[in-house]
Amino acid sequence: MTDNNNASENLQGLTLDTGWHVGSRVQKAPGATGGFFSVCYTVTKDGEECFLKAFNFSKFLSLARQHGQNQQIVDVIGDMIAAYRYERDLSAMCKNRRITKVAFVKDAGEQIVSGYSITVVPYLIFDIADGGDVRSQLSFASTLESEWKLRSLHSVAVGLKQLHGIDVSHQDLKPSNVLLFKGESKIGDLGRSTCRTLDSPLKDEPFSGDYSYAPPEILYGAHESDWRKRSFACDAYLFGSLIVYYFSGLTMTALLRKNLDDAFSWERRHASYEEVQPYVLNAFSQALDEFDELIEDDYLRRELRPMVTHLCHPVPPKRAYGPPSVAGSALGMERVITRLDFLADRVKFTI
C-alpha cells in the first residue's frame, strides 16, 4: 500500500537532481527482511541501471506516534538521519579502503519533491544484484553445485575479513544478505552493521542483526562487554551458520533449537548462560551430527564439520576463527579463506 501524501512513495517517473531517472518500484521479495523505513526503485543514468533506496520519513513519524510520550518525533527523525548518514559514510570508507567483496553505496543524495506533506527524500543508490541473493541459486540436493557453494562462501569470508580489517562488524550475515553480481558473491546490506570509528545508530546494541540467526550467547542474554570480542564472535558464528545453510538449507540456530530440550531453551528465563551451557553444547553436538548426515560427500563432511565447529562453538572464546584480538580474528579468517579455496579446487577437479 502506498501513501499518496508522502514523496518517498511517489518517485516513479521523476528525474533526480543527480541525474538518475526513477523507474518502477521494487517490491520486497518473499522471505526478505528489513525495508520498513525505506521504499525501493530501479533507477537509470547514462544507460546504467541501479537500485535506489529512499528513506521514508512517514514510517519514522508513525513509529514515533506509536511510542507516544516515550520517544519524541524529533528523536525518531534523528535516528533516521543517523541511519542514512552511517550507511552513506560507511560505504564511502569501504570504497576508500578498497573493500572488494562488499556491496556498498554507489551514490547518495536528497531530493525535494513539492506537493507533499513530507517533501524531502534522502536516498542511497546501489548496483543491482542481477542474480538476486544466494537463496535463488542454491539447490540443496545437487552435489554438482558444491564447487559453486564453496566459491561463494570463499568470497563471503574474504568480505568478512575485509570488514573486520577496518573495524566493521556486519552483524546481519544471512542468506538474503549474500548478493550475486554477475555470478560473484558479495556481502550486502551494511545498515545493521557496527563500526568502531563511525557513529553507528546501533552501536549500543549487544546484537544488531536478525535474532532468528543470532548466536546462542546473545539469545541467552550473555553480552561480552568488549566490542571486538562480542562483535567478531557474532560474525564468526553467523558465517559458520551460513556454511550450514549452503549445504543443508537450515541455519545453525535452527538446528540448535531443534535439538535443545524446551526446559533449557532461550525462550525460558535462566539464571545465566553458564547454567545451560552443558545442554546447549549437547544440542550443538547433535546439530553437527545432523549437518553431517546432509552432506553426501565424505571428504567435504570431514572438512566442513571442524570448520563449522570452530566458527559456531556455543562458547565464544572457543571460536577459533573469531576473537579475542583483531590480529587473531584476521589470522583465523585467513585460514578459513585458504581452506575454502582449496576445497573448491579439489571439488572442481574430482567432479
Side-chain angles (χ1 to χ4, degrees), residues 10-320:
N10 296 277
L11 297 180
Q12 189 169 337
L14 295 181
T15 297
L16 307 179
D17 293 341
T18 49
W20 292 96
H21 180 74
V22 184
S24 60
R25 185 166 171 175
V26 178
Q27 300 299 325
K28 188 169 72 172
T33 57
F36 180 75
F37 298 118
S38 62
V39 186
C40 299
Y41 300 86
T42 59
V43 290
T44 55
K45 180 181 179 181
D46 299 330
E48 181 181 18
E49 185 175 41
C50 288
F51 174 86
L52 179 144
K53 180 166 75 171
F55 283 70
N56 189 343
F57 273 115
S58 69
K59 291 289 188 180
F60 277 83
L61 293 173
S62 66
L63 182 63
R65 295 187 184 102
Q66 290 172 20
H67 282 288
Q69 296 182 350
N70 294 328
Q71 191 170 20
Q72 297 295 317
I73 289 177
V74 291
D75 294 327
V76 178
I77 294 176
D79 290 343
M80 175 186 172
I81 294 171
Y84 168 80
R85 183 184 296 117
Y86 171 73
E87 195 166 357
R88 180 199 65 189
D89 294 349
L90 178 58
S91 287
M93 185 172 75
C94 287
K95 186 176 182 179
N96 291 337
R97 298 291 292 273
R98 301 178 185 237
I99 305 299
T100 60
K101 297 296 184 180
V102 178
F104 44 75
V105 174
K106 183 182 186 71
D107 200 356
E110 61 180 41
Q111 186 71 24
I112 302 298
V113 186
S114 61
Y116 298 94
S117 59
I118 303 173
T119 61
V120 62
V121 183
Y123 62 85
L124 303 172
I125 292 176
F126 304 82
D127 287 324
I128 285 183
D130 58 305
D133 65 58
V134 77
R135 296 172 300 176
S136 63
Q137 297 293 313
L138 294 176
S139 174
F140 306 116
S142 173
T143 57
L144 295 178
E145 291 189 355
S146 292
E147 183 196 352
W148 188 93
K149 294 174 185 177
L150 292 164
R151 297 284 185 209
S152 176
L153 287 166
H154 174 268
S155 292
V156 174
V158 170
L160 201 59
K161 179 176 178 289
Q162 290 176 338
L163 288 175
H164 288 182
I166 59 172
D167 266 347
V168 175
S169 172
H170 190 276
Q171 293 283 292
D172 203 27
L173 188 61
K174 56 187 179 182
S176 62
N177 283 336
V178 178
L179 307 179
L180 305 178
F181 298 86
K182 295 181 172 58
E184 180 185 7
S185 298
K186 292 187 178 184
I187 299 174
D189 196 354
L190 296 173
R192 303 200 66 80
S193 67
T194 57
C195 177
R196 285 180 62 85
T197 58
L198 292 177
D199 189 19
S200 164
L202 301 170
K203 64 181 180 181
D204 295 327
E205 298 291 331
F207 179 72
S208 54
D210 185 337
Y211 269 75
S212 62
Y213 293 85
E217 72 274 11
I218 295 294
L219 294 170
Y220 283 101
H223 305 149
E224 163 65 51
S225 58
D226 183 273
W227 181 85
R228 284 194 178 99
K229 290 182 180 180
R230 180 184 71 251
S231 301
F232 289 3
C234 286
D235 278 355
Y237 177 92
L238 293 172
F239 181 68
S241 183
L242 197 66
I243 296 174
V244 174
Y245 180 86
Y246 269 54
F247 287 91
S248 72
L250 299 167
T251 67
M252 177 53 73
T253 303
L255 286 175
L256 269 177
R257 184 61 187 89
K258 178 182 177 183
N259 289 285
L260 188 62
D261 189 301
D262 287 346
F264 306 106
S265 72
W266 48 78
E267 292 95 348
R268 298 202 176 194
R269 187 181 299 274
H270 302 282
S272 66
Y273 184 41
E274 287 72 20
E275 175 192 11
V276 297
Q277 262 186 20
Y279 306 100
V280 176
L281 287 167
N282 182 62
F284 182 57
S285 178
Q286 294 179 55
L288 290 170
D289 290 342
E290 192 168 339
F291 174 55
D292 275 358
E293 293 173 3
L294 294 168
I295 303 176
E296 295 182 14
D297 184 279
D298 290 340
Y299 181 78
L300 275 182
R301 185 185 308 116
R302 291 194 300 271
E303 287 285 333
L304 292 178
R305 177 171 179 141
M307 188 181 294
V308 171
T309 300
H310 289 308
L311 287 164
C312 292
H313 199 287
V315 181
K318 294 187 177 182
R319 289 181 197 151

